[in-house]
Amino acid sequence: MKVLVNDVLVERSEVKVDIEDRGYQFGDGVYEVIRVYDGTPFAMEEHLERFYRSAKEIEIELSLTMEELKGKLEELFAAGPFHDGGIYVQLSRGVAPRKHQYEEGIKPQLIAYPVPSKRPEKEQQEGVSAITADDLRWLRCDIKSLNLLYNIMIKQRAYTSGAFEGILIRDGYVTEGTSSNIFMIKDRTIYSHPASNLILNGITRMKLAALFAENGWTFKEQAFTKEELLQADEVFMSSTTAEVVPIIRIDQQPVGDGTPGELTKAVLQAFLQSLKEERVPSV
Amino acid sequence: MKVLVNDVLVERSEVKVDIEDRGYQFGDGVYEVIRVYDGTPFAMEEHLERFYRSAKEIEIELSLTMEELKGKLEELFAAGPFHDGGIYVQLSRGVAPRKHQYEEGIKPQLIAYPVPSKRPEKEQQEGVSAITADDLRWLRCDIKSLNLLYNIMIKQRAYTSGAFEGILIRDGYVTEGTSSNIFMIKDRTIYSHPASNLILNGITRMKLAALFAENGWTFKEQAFTKEELLQADEVFMSSTTAEVVPIIRIDQQPVGDGTPGELTKAVLQAFLQSLKEERVPSV
């Protein structure tokens, strides 16, 4: 397997990071996961735009332009074999003797490589359970940074309790999942937390918002409470990797009748259909 | 230079981290910086206790006992040369294919190596300036984790504006500095934010609290507002690396008369004296 390291492809076994890479010591960097369907990247422009935005927010300047990076990622795809999954792209500020501040001229470090994953078909059909947890993260969740410790702590709590996702609650309101956006449906209106500093505005979330409009489904970007979540008719999550997955149990209580709801199923079908229309192979 | 990698000493140039070390991709780990005076570590037990506590809070179990790690760090010192500075110790959860959750049996990765630093004598004598910034960090600042992105963003803002430290303000109250604890003095009473989830309880802070008691100086672990900070008679910061440093300007306004205050100077002298009494060489 090849890994893109800055602007060259390197064998996976030969890629190594320095202990004083600021990504390792401070989480000083940003990332993206771009979905790949049968060798073809999906929504690559949107992901790269968000990647460059995240980098800009923490004042890291890439040495490659977006067009150049796209070309390099295409070389990575061409080096294949590359089937279903995603491409992980990470940028750190660079390598320097450890201290909090950094000097001008530090050279950012970029890596990109394939991460296999499969559509969670069983979960999409049958739905999953979730837990809730306080959202203790920082107040710049709009930056897709490497500071993911709290996300992984709650994902792990979900995982070890047999749940698929952890839903985060800040000041009584649902923000998002540990690696997904959360939607609830009440009286046929779809709700999701507004894009703000409190959530990462998912690419799939944005694709879904467009689909809601196309299909005439009422969508309100409006925060809702944990109590409203637990009283919802339907709940689902969205993410690049999982696409759309119904949540049918939260904190061991059924959502609605405890099966995937009709509107959620329609949203999933509309999303899969939209992938076909964007001519993603094998979908 | 040698680096302790898990339980063996390795040449610095040969130490490399895998791209899928969770420290690199999630900031999934913890660290300490232990001060070393002329080859002798200071307050090593306290730092190691906090290190093991931080690891426990995020559910990483070290393969070495505290006593074994202490022995390994002593081997590292013995490998010298090792003069003034600190020893940086970092633990990450380990290496695994990238996904948020982790599996049992993942092997934690430990590194430790010397980081040179000198007592900031000029700053201790003359005082420094600081800026204030909103504290947007997560709500588990009591864990000394690798998720330091916000700390470094504000430290960099201070650095590029010619200031020595950034003082963080949450909900109107001073929490701590980006890599220090903050103290203010009003009417000869010393105030500092209580040890809670909102600050890291510094080893130097704890040493100082004991010195305040010994010297009969009134110390209140009580949060104070940004306004109170700006109206303080004296302000100082403490950290392992900087020890005690007077802050004489905040957001370009003088603190008190704009010179290091008398009680602050007495605190610094008492701290340096206590180092002598703990028989740190060359102090």
Side-chain angles (χ1 to χ4, degrees):
Chain A
M1 191 183 87
K2 297 286 189 189
V3 175
L4 177 65
V5 178
N6 296 317
D7 54 359
V8 291
L9 296 185
V10 179
E11 264 309 317
R12 170 70 176 89
S13 57
E14 288 168 23
V15 184
K16 293 289 177 185
V17 176
D18 190 84
I19 53 171
E20 290 191 311
D21 188 308
R22 291 175 61 95
Y24 196 48
Q25 299 193 320
F26 299 101
D28 188 4
V30 296
Y31 77 103
E32 283 290 330
V33 181
I34 302 167
R35 191 75 162 88
V36 176
Y37 291 107
D38 203 25
T40 301
F42 176 67
M44 193 181 197
E45 282 74 15
E46 289 94 327
H47 282 285
L48 290 184
E49 273 166 24
R50 191 171 63 181
F51 187 57
Y52 277 74
R53 177 194 174 272
S54 290
K56 187 163 180 246
E57 287 294 317
I58 66 167
E59 298 181 6
I60 302 183
E61 195 174 339
L62 284 91
S63 54
L64 298 176
T65 65
M66 205 178 302
E67 208 48 44
E68 286 168 341
L69 177 54
K70 205 178 153 192
K72 289 292 170 187
L73 292 177
E74 277 159 7
E75 283 179 35
L76 182 64
F77 295 129
F82 207 89
H83 301 294
D84 262 18
I87 185 153
Y88 178 77
V89 193
Q90 171 174 327
L91 181 74
S92 79
R93 194 175 307 275
V95 178
R98 187 187 183 278
K99 58 179 177 174
H100 281 57
Q101 69 271 32
Y102 51 88
E103 307 297 338
E104 285 214 11
I106 185 170
K107 188 175 174 299
Q109 295 295 305
L110 180 103
I111 56 161
Y113 65 98
V115 282
S117 72
K118 277 191 187 272
R119 170 171 295 160
E121 290 190 43
K122 185 168 179 292
E123 288 81 1
Q124 289 181 346
Q125 295 311 310
E126 298 177 6
V128 297
S129 57
I131 60 167
T132 62
D134 289 336
D135 190 348
L136 305 185
R137 298 173 304 161
W138 75 331
L139 294 168
R140 288 302 308 275
C141 294
D142 56 308
I143 301 173
K144 202 166 170 74
S145 89
L146 303 177
N147 275 210
L148 291 169
L149 182 52
Y150 192 70
N151 301 60
I152 68 104
M153 285 167 74
I154 301 305
K155 181 71 103 182
Q156 186 69 11
R157 190 186 296 174
Y159 182 63
T160 54
S161 70
F164 191 76
E165 181 57 302
I167 300 175
L168 300 172
I169 315 287
R170 192 187 296 267
D171 299 332
Y173 288 89
V174 173
T175 52
E176 60 184 339
T178 69
S179 63
S180 65
N181 290 118
I182 300 293
F183 298 78
M184 78 148 199
I185 301 172
K186 188 72 181 177
D187 300 332
R188 292 198 66 79
T189 295
I190 305 169
Y191 295 85
S192 189
H193 194 288
S196 72
N197 62 314
L198 299 183
I199 72 162
L200 185 81
N201 192 0
I203 305 296
T204 308
R205 179 185 182 281
M206 288 189 270
K207 297 267 180 200
L208 290 178
L211 286 179
F212 299 157
E214 274 175 36
N215 285 276
W217 296 323
T218 309
F219 176 46
K220 291 191 180 167
E221 292 190 89
Q222 184 180 306
F224 50 91
T225 65
K226 179 178 168 181
E227 287 64 40
E228 290 172 311
L229 174 78
L230 297 176
Q231 298 297 321
D233 299 328
E234 306 179 27
V235 175
F236 64 93
M237 55 177 270
S238 73
S239 79
T240 290
T241 309
E243 301 168 336
V244 172
V245 174
I247 293 175
I248 58 169
R249 255 189 319 280
I250 298 175
D251 293 341
Q252 303 186 314
Q253 304 291 320
V255 175
D257 67 1
T259 65
E262 291 309 313
L263 186 46
T264 297
K265 286 196 268 189
V267 169
L268 172 61
Q269 287 315 310
F271 183 74
L272 297 180
Q273 183 62 32
S274 75
L275 290 180
K276 279 190 196 163
E277 283 163 17
E278 296 199 31
R279 274 186 252 151
V280 172
S282 90
V283 175
Chain B
M1 190 183 86
K2 296 286 187 187
V3 175
L4 177 65
V5 178
N6 296 318
D7 55 359
V8 291
L9 296 185
V10 178
E11 264 309 317
R12 169 70 176 87
S13 57
E14 286 169 22
V15 183
K16 294 290 178 185
V17 176
D18 192 84
I19 53 171
E20 290 191 312
D21 189 308
R22 292 174 61 95
Y24 196 49
Q25 298 192 321
F26 299 100
D28 188 4
V30 296
Y31 76 104
E32 283 289 330
V33 181
I34 302 167
R35 191 74 162 89
V36 177
Y37 292 106
D38 203 22
T40 301
F42 176 67
M44 193 181 196
E45 282 73 16
E46 289 94 326
H47 282 285
L48 290 184
E49 273 165 25
R50 190 171 63 182
F51 188 56
Y52 278 75
R53 178 195 174 270
S54 290
K56 188 165 180 244
E57 287 294 317
I58 66 167
E59 298 182 7
I60 302 183
E61 195 173 340
L62 284 92
S63 53
L64 299 175
T65 65
M66 206 180 300
E67 209 49 44
E68 287 168 342
L69 176 54
K70 205 178 153 194
K72 289 292 171 189
L73 293 177
E74 276 157 9
E75 282 180 35
L76 183 64
F77 294 129
F82 206 89
H83 301 293
D84 263 19
I87 184 152
Y88 178 77
V89 193
Q90 170 173 328
L91 180 75
S92 80
R93 195 175 305 277
V95 178
R98 187 187 183 280
K99 59 179 177 174
H100 281 58
Q101 68 272 32
Y102 50 88
E103 307 296 338
E104 285 213 10
I106 185 169
K107 188 176 173 299
Q109 295 294 305
L110 181 103
I111 55 161
Y113 66 97
V115 283
S117 73
K118 277 188 187 278
R119 170 170 295 158
E121 290 190 42
K122 185 167 179 291
E123 288 81 1
Q124 289 182 346
Q125 295 311 311
E126 298 177 6
V128 298
S129 56
I131 60 167
T132 62
D134 288 336
D135 189 348
L136 305 185
R137 298 173 305 162
W138 75 331
L139 294 169
R140 289 302 308 274
C141 294
D142 56 309
I143 300 173
K144 203 166 169 76
S145 89
L146 303 177
N147 276 211
L148 290 169
L149 181 53
Y150 192 69
N151 301 61
I152 68 105
M153 287 168 74
I154 301 305
K155 180 71 102 182
Q156 186 68 13
R157 191 187 295 173
Y159 182 64
T160 55
S161 71
F164 191 75
E165 180 57 300
I167 299 175
L168 300 171
I169 315 289
R170 194 188 294 266
D171 299 330
Y173 288 88
V174 173
T175 51
E176 59 184 342
T178 68
S179 62
S180 65
N181 291 117
I182 300 294
F183 298 77
M184 79 146 197
I185 300 171
K186 188 72 181 178
D187 300 331
R188 293 198 64 80
T189 295
I190 305 169
Y191 295 85
S192 188
H193 194 287
S196 72
N197 62 314
L198 299 182
I199 72 162
L200 185 81
N201 192 1
I203 306 295
T204 307
R205 179 185 182 280
M206 288 189 271
K207 297 268 181 199
L208 290 179
L211 286 178
F212 299 157
E214 274 174 37
N215 285 275
W217 296 324
T218 309
F219 175 46
K220 291 192 179 165
E221 293 191 87
Q222 183 180 306
F224 50 91
T225 65
K226 179 177 169 182
E227 286 65 39
E228 289 171 312
L229 175 78
L230 298 176
Q231 298 299 320
D233 300 328
E234 307 179 24
V235 175
F236 64 91
M237 54 175 272
S238 74
S239 79
T240 290
T241 308
E243 300 167 337
V244 172
V245 173
I247 293 175
I248 57 169
R249 255 189 319 280
I250 299 174
D251 292 341
Q252 303 186 314
Q253 303 291 320
V255 175
D257 67 0
T259 64
E262 292 309 313
L263 185 47
T264 297
K265 286 197 268 190
V267 169
L268 171 61
Q269 287 315 310
F271 183 74
L272 297 181
Q273 183 63 32
S274 75
L275 291 180
K276 279 190 195 163
E277 283 162 17
E278 296 199 32
R279 274 186 252 150
V280 172
S282 89
V283 174

